[in-house]
Amino acid sequence: MNLFRFALDNLYRRPARTGLTVSAIALGIAAVVALTSIAWGFEASWQKANDARGTDLIVTKMTSENTMPSPFKAEKVQQTLAGLPHVKEVVGLLSEMLTVSNDAPPVFVFGWVYGSYLWEHLKLVDGRWPASREEPVVVIGALAAEMLHKKTGDQVEIEGRVFQVAGIFESSAVVENGALLMTLDMAQQVTDKPGKVNVLNIKMDADATEADLRSIKEQVKQTLPGFVAITSGELVSKNAVVRISKAMSNATILIAGLVGALVVFNTMLMSINERTREIGILLALGWQRGTIIKLIVSEAVILSVAGGVVGIVMGVGIAWGLEHIELMRGKIDAIFSMPFFFAVMGLSVLLGICGGFYPAFKAARSLPSAALRYE
Amino acid sequence: MMLRIVAAVLLCLLSGIDTVYAADAAASANAVAESMREAIFSEGFEARLNVFVTRASGAHPAPLKLAVIGQISADRQRLVIRGISPEAARNRSYAVERGSDGRIRGVESRAAGEQNEFDPYARMFDSGLVACDMLSPWWGWPKQFLEGMEQIDGRDCLKLRSMTDDEKSPIREVESCVDQQAKLSLKTRLFDSRHVLIRATTVGKVMRKGDAGTMAAKKLTIRDAAKMLTEIEVYAGDEQYEISADTFAALDKLTHNEQQKTK
């Protein structure tokens, strides 16, 4: 019988304790998987939305850390930016999180400059786009249409004004799929922010290089006090919600790691106390102390790997469930990857080794004569 | 004899210390009130609110959406509270002004240009919202007293009592608990001249203002003497709202009419 089989048999012999230990580890790992995937997904979704639009640089207020930066008067800033070298297009974007139905949670309402490049990445699946800057219509993301139970031709009330649904679109970014879209002029009217935008999107021409982007960032810093030009990734990483969700995910990893290691430690310590005579017999039969350590650590690692596998499955399930509950739909987009799962399994193995090492060392130090006398 | 002189000197000294202490306390109370008054100075702001009312009977009227637009300076404080939804509230707005003389007056506007003076101490939109409370005139009252520290939801706040003898004001006394860092009153209780509670406002959640870095109330509740509960949530805002020429047109018209009458 090899060592692995021996360790496995030891765990099978105490199914209740093994099951409880695996459950405790699995819960910790599930929390890590769910929270981390959602935190990364939240960041990735916003970045995907910005990247999909084809924006090279975003100009916003320097202190903005909210989900959407504070609105500002666009005209003068826009004129300055349009005059910078290699700048092809400068377009404003206004956004608010608004309640558009008493039966559904608030959704993002975006206002984009009519006819600008921002609209190009969207795929119209039904109806049509707004026909003019001032047309009081909205197009809604496929997910928002489903959540709000709206179809082309229906009406939605936004901030006391009635808009007709002109069409339904799909986007690669979940943030946009769960949003309502109208022209910037209409968004400014409905939110009472004439001439204001949250961000200005800059699209560079085909000849622009990384050096040109850096140069524009520097020129914005010099010529537009209070404003900053950043990439979409930089904007998203500054976002307070992204920062909080990442901090929560890191805290969960730390707590789940500590709890997991303590659970394994406690289980293995109880196990070797119960098996003192058994360990004494093994030592008396000539087992090396190193082999005893390997046996106990193997048991701990098997427990934590099993907990890791179950935890990953549970974590994926929790994240999927959260994505589909009414309150969160269209706002989170958990992302998973093989490297992430391998990292989680690595964490599980580490928990096993950390939690199992001391009990293993303690067992290996036993004297066979004393262990055989143990009742 | 000697003992009497010593006792008299000690008494004089103690009363002197007491007087100095009382003067210092009044000065710091006034300073806190002044800092609260200055904290809301703004060239223009807008806040959009979700308002949920629970009547004493337990009935819930349709939730309201309101916009509050304001311009606050040392000399003049002006607000417009405009209904966004539902339909019944949409065409209604209340404009209120407090001038340098401390007088508060208001105009109610309805659809089709109908405008009437309204009592700024009265409820608006059949909710617990009162225009006068939004102006917090008590920070400018002459009698301010500090009454120690308190903790509300884990936040330290300084208790301040403000009093006025103005017989025109139905509110004579206000108890506030001021978070000095946030420049925000976490709890405000308004009393009449017989010390009967009129309304109590409690801040439930605070938020960081976008650019200023200071705090503002995100969620608050108003409970009035008639046991009406009004829950307010700020869902959008603009700290650099551009006040247009017609934002306070109703108030300007009222001033114009008053001037005409005086002539």
Side-chain angles (χ1 to χ4, degrees):
Chain A
M1 183 184 277
N2 65 28
L3 198 66
F4 176 76
R5 187 62 197 269
F6 197 74
L8 211 57
D9 280 351
N10 281 337
L11 295 173
Y12 271 135
R13 275 196 330 219
R14 293 166 184 84
R17 192 168 60 199
T18 303
L20 284 172
T21 308
V22 169
S23 306
I25 297 167
L27 279 175
I29 294 292
V32 170
V33 170
L35 270 174
T36 308
S37 63
I38 288 169
W40 288 356
F42 186 77
E43 185 177 11
S45 176
W46 274 99
Q47 185 151 354
K48 208 191 283 178
N50 286 318
D51 291 344
R53 291 170 195 159
T55 296
D56 294 305
L57 276 177
I58 289 166
V59 174
T60 181
K61 285 278 192 83
M62 213 174 237
T63 49
S64 298
E65 289 179 355
N66 297 328
T67 309
M68 283 311 291
S70 306
F72 61 90
K73 277 274 183 192
E75 198 183 349
K76 282 183 186 165
V77 183
Q78 194 165 4
Q79 279 171 6
T80 309
L81 293 173
L84 295 175
H86 295 290
V87 171
K88 190 179 167 192
E89 219 175 323
V90 183
V91 292
L93 179 155
L94 186 65
S95 167
E96 290 255 355
M97 184 80 124
L98 298 171
T99 308
V100 296
S101 162
N102 289 333
D103 309 322
V107 293
F108 275 109
V109 177
F110 291 119
W112 291 354
V113 173
Y114 172 74
S116 70
Y117 74 89
L118 294 177
W119 302 77
E120 287 167 9
H121 71 285
L122 301 178
K123 186 183 161 199
L124 191 69
V125 291
D126 190 34
R128 61 172 178 84
W129 297 116
S132 70
R133 289 171 53 167
E134 299 274 343
E135 194 189 13
V137 295
V138 290
V139 281
I140 58 179
L143 193 56
E146 198 186 310
M147 281 159 56
L148 300 168
H149 311 292
K150 297 288 178 193
K151 57 185 188 305
T152 304
D154 286 352
Q155 292 185 327
V156 285
E157 190 189 302
I158 304 172
E159 297 300 271
R161 284 189 62 169
V162 175
F163 289 80
Q164 194 182 44
V165 178
I168 293 168
F169 67 85
E170 273 177 1
S171 163
S172 54
V174 73
V175 175
E176 290 177 348
N177 265 335
L180 273 69
L181 193 50
M182 59 175 74
T183 65
L184 179 64
D185 301 72
M186 290 316 299
Q188 287 170 338
Q189 278 183 37
V190 82
T191 59
D192 200 9
K193 292 187 177 73
K196 288 192 170 182
V197 296
N198 296 112
V199 295
L200 283 168
N201 297 267
I202 300 179
K203 191 176 175 69
M204 308 286 283
D205 63 26
D207 303 330
T209 61
E210 283 294 320
D212 294 321
L213 285 181
R214 283 196 297 275
S215 158
I216 287 188
K217 283 183 177 182
E218 194 53 40
Q219 287 182 68
V220 168
K221 203 169 153 185
Q222 303 290 335
T223 56
L224 294 166
F227 288 91
V228 64
I230 48 181
T231 60
S232 58
E234 288 165 341
L235 177 72
V236 172
S237 62
K238 274 182 71 172
N239 185 303
V241 182
V242 170
R243 281 184 183 181
I244 291 167
S245 55
K246 276 187 157 180
M248 278 175 64
S249 136
N250 291 341
T252 310
I253 292 173
L254 187 69
I255 293 166
L258 280 173
V259 171
L262 282 173
V263 166
V264 174
F265 178 81
N266 182 48
T267 304
M268 296 318 297
L269 211 55
M270 278 171 64
S271 171
I272 62 148
N273 277 339
E274 283 173 11
R275 289 153 56 195
T276 306
R277 278 174 69 83
E278 180 189 316
I279 290 163
I281 291 167
L282 291 173
L283 286 168
L285 285 172
W287 276 44
Q288 298 292 313
R289 293 189 191 282
T291 314
I292 298 287
I293 291 177
K294 275 186 207 164
L295 174 72
I296 307 294
V297 171
S298 299
E299 286 179 25
V301 170
I302 291 168
L303 279 175
S304 55
V305 167
V309 172
V310 177
I312 287 174
V313 174
M314 279 169 68
V316 172
I318 292 170
W320 185 86
L322 284 172
E323 274 178 10
H324 287 80
I325 63 168
E326 207 61 15
L327 189 68
M328 305 298 282
R329 281 181 77 181
K331 296 183 185 73
I332 59 169
D333 183 16
I335 51 166
F336 305 101
S337 63
M338 284 317 283
F340 172 58
F341 290 145
F342 281 125
V344 173
M345 286 312 295
L347 175 70
S348 304
V349 172
L350 194 68
L351 293 182
I353 293 171
C354 293
F357 189 73
Y358 173 73
F361 190 67
K362 194 182 169 196
R365 271 194 321 179
S366 316
L367 291 171
S369 54
L372 288 169
R373 278 202 305 274
Y374 186 83
E375 291 297 330
Chain B
M1 182 66 185
M2 192 62 191
L3 272 174
R4 274 188 188 177
I5 293 168
V6 170
V9 169
L10 274 174
L11 267 174
C12 283
L13 279 173
L14 283 173
S15 64
I17 290 166
D18 194 39
T19 312
V20 169
Y21 175 76
D24 278 354
S28 36
N30 283 326
V32 172
E34 183 60 22
S35 73
M36 290 299 288
R37 207 163 70 92
E38 286 172 3
I40 54 168
F41 284 178
S42 167
E43 287 178 19
F45 71 86
E46 188 207 36
R48 293 192 170 214
L49 324 171
N50 281 318
V51 181
F52 306 94
V53 176
T54 309
R55 300 221 168 99
S57 61
H60 297 277
L64 291 160
K65 269 190 179 191
L66 306 175
V68 180
I69 297 160
Q71 192 174 43
I72 313 276
S73 69
D75 300 331
R76 192 159 68 163
Q77 304 170 16
R78 299 195 292 180
L79 292 177
V80 170
I81 303 102
R82 180 171 63 81
I84 297 172
S85 71
E87 183 73 39
R90 194 164 304 155
N91 295 311
R92 278 165 73 184
S93 71
Y94 297 87
V96 64
E97 178 178 55
R98 183 172 185 263
S100 52
D101 58 354
R103 187 177 151 226
I104 303 174
R105 65 217 182 106
V107 185
E108 181 184 4
S109 305
R110 286 181 182 258
E114 185 193 329
Q115 289 184 338
N116 297 301
E117 274 195 61
F118 93 103
D119 177 7
Y121 296 96
R123 286 177 186 164
M124 297 180 291
F125 298 102
D126 302 317
S127 71
L129 279 170
V130 174
C132 167
D133 296 0
M134 293 178 168
L135 295 173
S136 310
W138 46 87
W139 300 129
W141 288 351
K143 293 181 190 170
Q144 306 283 350
F145 306 96
L146 285 180
E147 297 186 338
M149 298 294 291
E150 200 184 315
Q151 250 200 1
I152 296 174
D153 288 337
R155 299 174 76 99
D156 287 330
C157 59
L158 191 59
K159 283 177 78 178
L160 192 72
R161 188 176 297 277
S162 315
M163 295 166 92
T164 181
D165 297 325
D166 182 359
E167 288 182 1
K168 285 178 197 157
S169 171
I171 307 164
R172 295 294 186 82
E173 195 178 328
V174 177
E175 267 178 28
S176 315
C177 207
V178 175
D179 179 336
Q180 282 188 285
Q181 266 192 327
K183 296 269 188 289
L184 189 66
S185 176
L186 302 179
K187 192 171 78 178
T188 310
R189 293 177 2 124
L190 315 179
F191 299 93
D192 67 8
S193 57
R194 290 171 295 138
H195 199 71
V196 174
L197 183 68
I198 304 170
R199 273 183 301 284
T201 304
T202 311
V203 172
K205 200 172 169 186
V206 295
M207 62 180 174
R208 191 170 291 281
K209 287 186 194 170
D211 293 344
T214 54
M215 307 299 275
K218 165 92 178 152
K219 280 186 179 176
L220 58 147
T221 53
I222 302 169
R223 198 179 288 272
D224 67 14
K227 293 191 177 164
M228 179 193 273
L229 179 71
T230 306
E231 293 165 276
I232 299 158
E233 183 186 20
V234 179
Y235 68 88
D238 185 358
E239 290 153 51
Q240 272 97 43
Y241 183 85
E242 208 153 285
I243 302 287
S244 64
D246 61 350
T247 305
F248 300 110
L251 290 168
D252 295 336
K253 194 174 164 189
L254 183 69
T255 308
H256 178 75
N257 290 346
E258 281 178 353
Q259 283 168 350
Q260 290 293 321
K261 275 182 197 168
T262 316
K263 281 178 189 173

